[in-house]
Amino acid sequence: WLIATSLQSFEAAANVQPSSSLAAAPNFQKVHARMTSGDPVLFGYADFGLEMGMIENFLPPIYIEFADILGLTTMQGTGMALSMTEGGIHESFGLVFDGEPKGAFRILDAFPGGIEMAGQAPAGAMSLMAVKFDAAMMFGRMMEFMDTMAPGTGRRIAALAEAQVATMGYSLQDELLGAFGDEASVVIFPPVAMMAVPDWVISVDVRNADAANRIIKTLTELAVADGAPIRFQPTEIGDNLSGQAIRIEGAPVLPIMAVTDGKLIIGSRKDIVNEAVYSWNSDRLNTMANSAVYKRTMKGLANGRTDNIAALAYLDLQQIAPPAIMMTMGMWPEGVVDAVAAPDAGEFA
């Protein structure tokens, strides 16, 4: 079926040649390749460049100039899609730019992409939340944009921020913003028993270990001084590695914190911190990134490309299914549910 607003548009659509169709347009191909995966059942596309060309004649020049400052004129197209792939549903929405982002969109440079923790965490982990984020670059890009909007504003704000941070004994760029980055992640493991608290590990990349230790020391002292129900005690974690035990009033766990080998590691218990430091990088084949469920999920989510993912929330339902089913069964009176008929963990993905 073809429905058009005019006979001319109808004839153009009905008689189009493949080489001159929308599907052959470079902008459409870029958006379609990024937004879809498997078999798309719903797809929407807009050529932003053509739309800007249509409306710029109706707008004062200052509006177009402002759009250029914001970086909107570098957008090639926008798209949204709903695809059925890898046994699941892939929903996406995005923007495609003409080369490098400009204007306000240069802030995206602070999200470099390429989640590394998936290639380090063991295959038995059930969940990963991670983000790639460069705080120093983010601050720099924001100041540059403010200078573009109002010349000199960004430089003045940066100077004021640098002076304020210096009163606390830190350098803004080298220490406060440069101590950590680029990746922060949380890895969660399946509970070992019904109603048990899952083990977890928080990992933050460290660029400047001395600055990171100073910042952590300052924050812990401030927390204690403010009366927070938390105490920090030195503890030995492993060979030539010491850290701090974090005693939180009323908490069922005793987290351990350590800075080592370019990372700040905080774990739910000493053993798992020890494993994260000494064992996670020893077997590159037995990792979350090499698990079948993770690979299938990434193929459906990002066409198998993970090098440009800047933020990720992943959950292995096969890992969480057994304790979740056990917990659900335990909540119902005997005879109400049939445990034999419960779904097998392998049915989840």
Side-chain angles (χ1 to χ4, degrees), residues 281-292:
N281 289 325
S282 62
D283 186 359
R284 289 287 183 172
L285 296 178
N286 188 30
T287 64
M288 177 184 288
N290 277 322
S291 70

Side-chain angles (χ1 to χ4, degrees), residues 119-251:
Q120 300 172 6
M126 75 173 181
S127 178
L128 169 65
M129 291 172 285
V131 61
K132 278 277 196 177
F133 175 66
D134 188 327
M137 183 175 289
M138 168 68 85
F139 183 80
R141 291 291 185 263
M142 290 177 64
M143 296 304 102
E144 290 173 5
F145 178 66
M146 295 186 71
D147 274 336
T148 303
M149 297 291 291
T153 302
R155 290 192 297 274
R156 287 194 294 270
I157 293 177
L160 288 172
E162 184 75 56
Q164 182 63 37
V165 171
T167 63
M168 299 183 291
Y170 292 99
S171 163
L172 178 64
Q173 289 291 335
D174 297 334
E175 295 181 318
L176 195 62
L177 296 178
F180 301 100
D182 297 334
E183 185 171 323
S185 58
V186 180
V187 180
I188 303 176
F189 295 85
V192 296
M194 188 170 61
M195 306 303 290
V197 178
D199 282 322
W200 49 267
V201 170
I202 298 174
S203 172
V204 182
D205 285 354
V206 172
R207 292 176 172 176
N208 186 332
D210 291 338
N213 280 313
R214 286 181 59 208
I215 292 171
I216 293 169
K217 185 175 184 294
T218 299
L219 293 176
T220 55
E221 290 175 349
L222 287 174
V224 173
D226 288 342
I230 186 172
R231 294 293 181 269
F232 299 89
Q233 298 177 341
T235 184
E236 294 298 321
I237 299 173
D239 296 337
N240 301 319
L241 177 62
S242 60
Q244 295 188 71
I246 307 173
R247 294 191 177 276
I248 305 172
E249 185 178 326

Side-chain angles (χ1 to χ4, degrees), residues 12 26 49 51 55 58 63 82 90 93 105-106 108 119 142 152-153 165 195 200 234 243 250 263 303 305 336 341:
E51 292 179 352
I55 66 174
F58 301 95
Y63 281 48
L82 186 67
H90 174 210
F93 172 81
F105 291 106
R106 289 197 68 203
L108 296 175
M142 290 177 64
T153 302
V165 171
M195 306 303 290
W200 49 267
K263 290 184 182 295
N303 290 325
R305 289 188 59 187
V336 174

Side-chain angles (χ1 to χ4, degrees), residues 95-113:
L95 312 172
V96 175
F97 295 92
D98 180 12
E100 295 296 325
K102 298 179 181 178
F105 291 106
R106 289 197 68 203
I107 293 175
L108 296 175
D109 291 340
F111 300 88

Side-chain angles (χ1 to χ4, degrees), residues 1-4 6-22:
W1 288 86
L2 290 175
I3 302 176
S6 67
L7 179 60
Q8 182 181 7
S9 298
F10 178 86
E11 290 176 342
N15 299 318
V16 69
Q17 297 298 314
S19 60
S20 59
S21 67
L22 178 62

Side-chain angles (χ1 to χ4, degrees), residues 34 111-116 132 294 298 302-311:
R34 287 297 186 93
F111 300 88
I115 302 298
E116 298 176 3
K132 278 277 196 177
Y294 183 87
M298 292 303 106
N303 290 325
R305 289 188 59 187
T306 59
D307 59 311
N308 57 4
I309 295 179

Side-chain angles (χ1 to χ4, degrees), residues 23-98:
N27 285 358
F28 179 88
Q29 292 178 352
K30 287 182 180 179
V31 174
H32 189 272
R34 287 297 186 93
M35 297 301 108
T36 63
S37 179
D39 298 319
V41 296
L42 178 65
F43 180 70
Y45 164 76
D47 189 317
F48 199 80
L50 288 177
E51 292 179 352
M52 286 293 294
M54 292 171 57
I55 66 174
E56 65 181 4
N57 294 326
F58 301 95
L59 296 175
I62 192 172
Y63 281 48
I64 304 302
E65 195 174 321
F66 185 65
D68 189 53
I69 291 174
L70 291 177
L72 296 177
T73 55
T74 64
M75 290 171 51
Q76 288 185 320
T78 63
M80 60 82 60
L82 186 67
S83 308
M84 309 300 292
T85 178
E86 298 301 316
I89 300 174
H90 174 210
E91 181 182 357
S92 59
F93 172 81
L95 312 172
V96 175
F97 295 92
D98 180 12

